[in-house]
Amino acid sequence: MIKSEFSHICEGDKGRSELELKRPPDKKGTLMSADTILAISSEVLAGEVGLNVIRPTLRSLSLSCIACPTLLLASHPGAYPSATAPAGQAVAPEQISQMVDWLIDAGALSGIGGVLTGYMPSPEHVMLAANIIDRLRDVAPNSLYLCDPICGDRGRLYIGAETAQAIRTHLLPRADITTPNLFELGWLTDSAPSTPEETIEAARHLPCKEVVVTSAPAPTDHIATLQITEERAAECQTALEPEHIHGMGDVFAALYLGLRLRQDPNPLGVATATAAQLAQSARAGRITSAPIILAPAAPVRSL
């Protein structure tokens, strides 16, 4: 369940976030703690996407990551557009299940702070993730679950429609937080939001208590992130980078979940500003491998 109430800082409070870094004692017999996140997503050998960028993002918040790959590829398919499709394949759901079951039975996941799900190659992987979430409710009942519903961008799905539908049906109702981009929000709600008001309305049709929409409508040369619950909505704008950068959604989801676990007073402002800072330093559409440094919170306003 969500650990703390929706919170935001109004425009003008731009100071750097103060993170509470005190580590709670581990439970007897466990290897992990509330400072650990289980991340279930894609893995590449070359490039800063998926688990490759989720790990360093969580480390920047002094959080540990148990990384569970759903897919192993040589690189992101868009990183080398002149090359053939990258070598690799999905990790069999049965193999993932065996490893996660072992970790749960060994007590390694007891009391973890959060779960992040990202890229799902098939409906079977979605159902596996849903089953893992259900099992973790028994051993980590206070964990916070963020679903990054990775299914498409810039007007097209890049996973099968059946897989995207499975995410909508089986993962979103289990999630405490979801972080769709504007296209994903539209697809998941069968709508086409083009204004902040339409984005808020669409987000409130998702079966999730807290929706954070990236790439939301904003004035020219800007991009917005909207944080929406049933009661409130807030917006954070930053400058729009002209180039599409792979892995930014993974970074934002990890930042936002980590900041929420740290009970940061302004997770929207800090996550949005830090992602924008990374985008500015990206090269040829790729996030650099430099250490991730939290940026001062960008202004946030209520809608």
Side-chain angles (χ1 to χ4, degrees), residues 29-282:
T30 68
L31 298 177
M32 302 301 168
S33 76
D35 285 342
T36 299
I37 290 175
L38 172 65
I40 308 172
S41 193
S42 60
E43 178 91 76
V44 297
L45 301 186
E48 305 300 322
V49 298
L51 294 172
N52 279 21
V53 78
I54 288 172
R55 290 188 194 91
T57 300
L58 294 176
R59 281 198 296 269
S60 74
L61 296 166
S62 297
L63 294 168
S64 299
C65 177
I66 302 175
C68 179
T70 58
L71 177 77
L72 181 60
L73 294 180
S75 181
H76 186 283
Y80 299 93
S82 62
T84 59
Q89 62 186 357
V91 180
E94 296 80 9
Q95 186 176 4
I96 298 171
S97 179
Q98 291 170 3
M99 291 187 288
V100 174
D101 285 349
W102 186 93
L103 289 171
I104 292 174
D105 292 342
L109 299 179
S110 298
I112 62 169
V115 182
L116 190 162
T117 60
Y119 187 84
M120 296 287 140
S122 72
E124 291 74 23
H125 287 84
V126 174
M127 291 307 302
L128 170 66
N131 290 336
I132 291 172
I133 298 301
D134 290 344
R135 286 203 66 188
L136 288 175
R137 295 299 187 195
D138 294 330
V139 299
N142 294 319
S143 62
L144 194 63
Y145 169 37
L146 185 149
C147 172
D148 185 7
I150 299 173
C151 59
D153 198 3
R154 297 186 289 177
R156 70 178 185 91
L157 281 179
Y158 43 63
I159 62 173
E162 289 185 357
T163 305
Q165 290 167 356
I167 291 171
R168 176 171 57 192
T169 301
H170 299 290
L171 294 186
L172 289 183
R174 289 173 164 83
D176 300 301
I177 307 166
T178 186
T179 55
N181 62 38
L182 188 64
F183 170 79
E184 290 163 343
L185 174 66
W187 197 92
L188 293 167
T189 58
D190 194 23
S191 64
S194 60
T195 67
E197 293 76 18
E198 292 173 352
T199 302
I200 292 169
E201 181 180 0
R204 287 176 174 157
H205 281 88
L206 289 178
C208 186
K209 294 178 182 178
E210 183 174 351
V211 180
V212 184
V213 183
T214 60
S215 305
T220 304
D221 298 329
H222 285 76
I223 193 167
T225 307
L226 299 185
Q227 183 186 41
I228 302 150
T229 68
E230 193 61 39
E231 299 81 19
R232 301 180 183 181
E235 178 191 62
C236 185
Q237 292 185 18
T238 55
L240 175 64
E241 292 297 317
E243 194 172 23
H244 180 76
I245 302 166
H246 302 300
M248 292 307 303
D250 302 309
V251 169
F252 182 86
L255 279 170
Y256 193 81
L257 177 59
L259 289 163
R260 284 293 308 273
L261 287 179
R262 288 303 188 195
Q263 299 183 20
D264 187 272
N266 189 6
L268 180 64
V270 176
T272 302
T274 303
Q277 179 175 268
L278 281 173
Q280 291 171 3
S281 64

